[in-house]
Structure formats: structure tokens, C-alpha cells
Amino acid sequence: VFRIVLLSPLLLGLAVFAGSSKPPAKSAKPVAASATPNVVIIYGDDVGFGDVGVYGSKLIPTPNIDRLAAQGISFSDGHCSAATCTPSRFSMLTGIHAFRYNARILPPNAPLIIPTDKLTLPKLFKQAGYQTAVIGKWHLGLGVTGELPDWNGDVKPGPLEIGFDYSYLLPNTNDRVPCVYLAGHRVVNLDPADPIYVGKTLADVQKPGSTQYPDGKTNREAMTVYQSTHGHDDSVVNGIGRIGYMSGGKAALWQEDELTDVFVGKAKEYIAAHKDEPFFLYFASQDIHVPRYPHKRFRGKTKLGHRGDAMVAFDWATGEIMKALEKHGLTQNTIVIFSSDNGPAYDDGYDDGSVVECSQEESDHGHDASGIWRGGKYQIYEGGTRVPFILRWPARIKPGLSDAMVNQIDFMASFAALLDIELPADEAVDSRDTLDAFLGDDPIGLEFMVEESFGLALRHNDWKFIEPSKPKWPKGRLPIAMALHDLGDDPSEQVNLAQVHPEKTAKMNAMLQNVKKG
Ligand code: NG6
Ligand code: CA
């Protein structure tokens, strides 16, 4: 109770916002909603519920995201489907639970995990005549199972084979090699005289004729930007230790502090080039994933070190995309969705200045990145998947707040409904049409849904059932016992009611097992 009282300003913040959110003043006459609105998903990486002003952040200014929220619907119970990146992205793009395909966090060189014959979100939009693009972090694998991707040739299959017409990527994560951009099938700026090799060990990549990078395991002093705190000690590229080894590609290396600018630049170009036709743009920012090293114009903008400053950079990026839409007269008929792939992490492998003051409360310099929700990235608690979730479509929706339970896995069925496309029964099998909730017409949304981390949980209205599991990561996490929580009374999942309500527990467990069976 103490915890809830203590943190209630967050809820208050949402309430205040509700009271003050007026529809934007209409000077021009209202524009009719198009049957094929542009759709832009601005997808954060590890952005927590409490990292956004409108969701209660006091220490990180996010004026652009807040403006988006003031013109759209902010969901208080909006979820990514899993508490880590690859599974959430897999589910959002396929409408299938990641656990069915064993979609876990991928290492460098992992093959594409979305089967090329599956229906995907971009393929759905293409059926309706859209142009489709992904810009930013991929982390869904590249290449064929059983073979290593050829970083010096055509890197495929990848996004272009699962429905995107255009792609400009960071192949894995910004803490994984190779640290290069991939445009379509090709590494950008690759010098054939300095071929790229990627592997699990130093020996895999020690090939004559390619630039060699220091091995973090034996050269910690090469980590000049900051030291790694766990893992991230394979190749040291740009003074930062990475996951995985690489050699070569020196001319192709990205610059850490330019990632945000480069992706924003590509998004602006894309919007300008496609302003006259419907498009679906999946803008997958690497912010605020580690290694955080925002451009110097953002550094010091918060008291929270690189983590907070990276969030300021992401807010700027959001504003730039909104400006680009405005510039081309696309604001009214573009659906902009702002969300994240999993809850927040502080020290996720580097000594970058984000401090966990108390592991129970998980607060960074007094900033609680998951708000009142327990836990964050990697965890089965609400903080793992309950993330900022904002949808703006001025031509169609009324701005406001919604407590409807919604999930990114339902984009497939919901956009199919919007575009009047019938989904085949064997596609997007876990996706349900919640379009009315997304558009603010249904205040309830989902009655039940699955949340995924190392184990699974089931939400049924305000109830939450957590199945027992053994978290693999971060190391040292204790096994999770079976739990039942009443989020209505206990939003921070402090009281386990499994013994108090054995029947409810059994019923929800049965529901979960039922979903698992498919
Ligand atoms: C973990 C990494 C972590 C992060 C995560 C993926 C270590 C020690 N930890 O394995 O730093 O990269 O994978 O994050 O290597 S995610 O947002 O893409 O899921
Ligand atoms: Ca993530």
C-alpha cells in the first residue's frame, strides 16, 4: 500500500492530463478519415512506461511524445507481447506468440526467424496497396538457417523477403556486431578490400586482410567510452565492448552518436518520397537500448546520464517524424503509434551512469522507469510488457485516455479489419481484432491476454496469473513461483493470492494452458 500511495502522482499525472487534454483547435475544416491512412509505428527499444512525461516521467522531458499523446489516445494498459525485443517484434509483425516459434533474443549471425511464407504486417499492408518500410533496429535474424550470412554479399533473406519494400537497418542490436548499416541486402559503405567477418570467437574472425578490433576479454582498456559491467567483452568497436566478434568493415562502421540522426534522416527521406501513396513505416529506434551514447547535443539534458539523455534524443526523433508528416500535409490521415518493445532496463551491461538506487524499487536517481508497475525488461511482472502506448489519427479519433487492455500482437487482426482484409485462418493465429479499442471506441479492449518473458502469465481483466518459471537472465534472478495478483487492488504485484483463491488460480492456469495449446 505504501508503495502505491508513494507513487500515486503518476496516476494523478495521467488524470491531470485527461482533464486538460482538449482536442486540438480546428482551423481548417475536418479532413475525412481515409480508408488507407498511412501508418507509422515509432517503436522504442527498452523504453519504460514511466520514461514518458505523459505517463509520469518528471525527470526526462519528452515534449514531442507528450504532444503526440495530447493529440491521440494514451493507453494505460497497453502492452508489447513480451519482455524482450526479438519475441515482441516477432509477435507484432506476425500476430503469433513468440513462444510458438521459440523466438528468443537473437545472437549475431542468427538466421531470419520469421518464415518467409508467413503473413506479416507489411505483407498485409501491401495487399492493400501500401508501400512498406522498416528503418532502424531489426534483431529478427538475417539469412538462412544453417548458413552464416555473407556480410560481404547479399545478406538475405531479411525484411525484403517478409514484406518490406525498403529497409535501412542496424542488423541486430547496437550492442551486437556487426556495427554497420544494412541497406536492403547490402552493408552500406563496405570496402571490399576490408571484408567483414562475424563470429562467436576471436578465432572465427581473425582473417588476414580485414581490420582487427581489440578483444575486450584481454583488452579492457580498449573500452574507452565506458566499461562493460557484464558480458559485452567480445570485439571492442568504437571504444565499446560488444556481444560477438567482428573484423573488417572499418569504413562501414556506424558512429554511435549518429545512429539516431541517421535513422531520422532516412525516415524523413522515406516520408517525402512516399507522400503521395499510402505507406506503412516501421521506425524501430535503437534508443534507449545499450550502449547509450546520444549525440552531444542531447548529453546532459537530464540528470540521469546517458539513459535519460538517450530518451531526450528519442523524443526529438519522434518530433522530427511528426514534423515531416506535417510538412507533407499528412498529419490528419496518418496513424502514428508510439510504443516500446519491452520494459525498462538500467544497467544492461555497461557502466553508463544509469544507477539502480534500490533493486526492489528499480529507480534511477529517483526516476522510476516502469512507473508503479513492478519489474521491467526480462521480467514477467507488468513492468516487463506494460509500456507507453499512444495512437494518434486526427482524422478519426478523439484525443484522450483509455484504460482498455490492448496488445501489439493484435495489430495484425486490427489492421486487417481496418483495411477490410480477411485473415486466413492459419495466419496471425494469436492476433485478435481490437480495432475499436485502438480507435478509442471500446473502453474495455481485451478480456484476457498472455504476457511472455522466460515464463508466461495470463491477464484476465484485472487479474494476473503467473506460471512458475526459472528466469535465465539477468543472472541470479530467483525462480518465479506460481502467483495470482489482483491488479485492481495491488497494481504493483506485491501480494500473491494464489493460496487465497485456489479456484481462480486453477481456472486462470487452465486458460493459459489452453492458449499455449493454440
Ligand atoms: C542480453 C544482453 C543485453 C541485451 C539483451 C537484448 C548480455 C550480458 N546482455 O543478452 O545487454 O543486449 O540481450 O536486449 O549480453 S533486447 O532489447 O534486444 O531484447
Ligand atoms: Ca528491447
Side-chain angles (χ1 to χ4, degrees), residues 382-454:
E382 286 297 283
T385 61
R386 201 188 280 228
V387 287
F389 202 125
I390 299 165
L391 187 147
R392 182 183 75 161
W393 184 11
R396 170 67 175 76
I397 59 141
K398 245 176 63 213
L401 289 173
S402 173
D403 293 330
M405 185 156 83
V406 291
N407 197 302
Q408 294 161 8
I409 199 170
D410 298 319
F411 287 163
M412 281 290 281
S414 304
F415 280 115
L418 180 77
L419 300 169
D420 210 9
I421 294 173
E422 203 173 316
L423 284 179
D426 58 348
E427 298 287 4
V429 291
D430 297 305
S431 190
R432 291 169 286 170
D433 173 9
T434 54
L435 183 64
D436 288 348
F438 286 132
L439 300 183
D441 297 336
D442 165 13
I444 307 293
L446 295 167
E447 192 194 327
F448 71 93
M449 71 175 183
V450 168
E451 296 176 8
E452 180 169 353
S453 176
F454 295 105

Side-chain angles (χ1 to χ4, degrees), residues 44-47 83-86 89 137 289 340-343 377:
D45 195 353
D46 301 359
V47 173
T84 50
C85 160
T86 303
R89 287 162 205 253
K137 170 180 172 172
H289 196 280
S340 178
D341 69 336
N342 52 251
K377 183 175 181 178

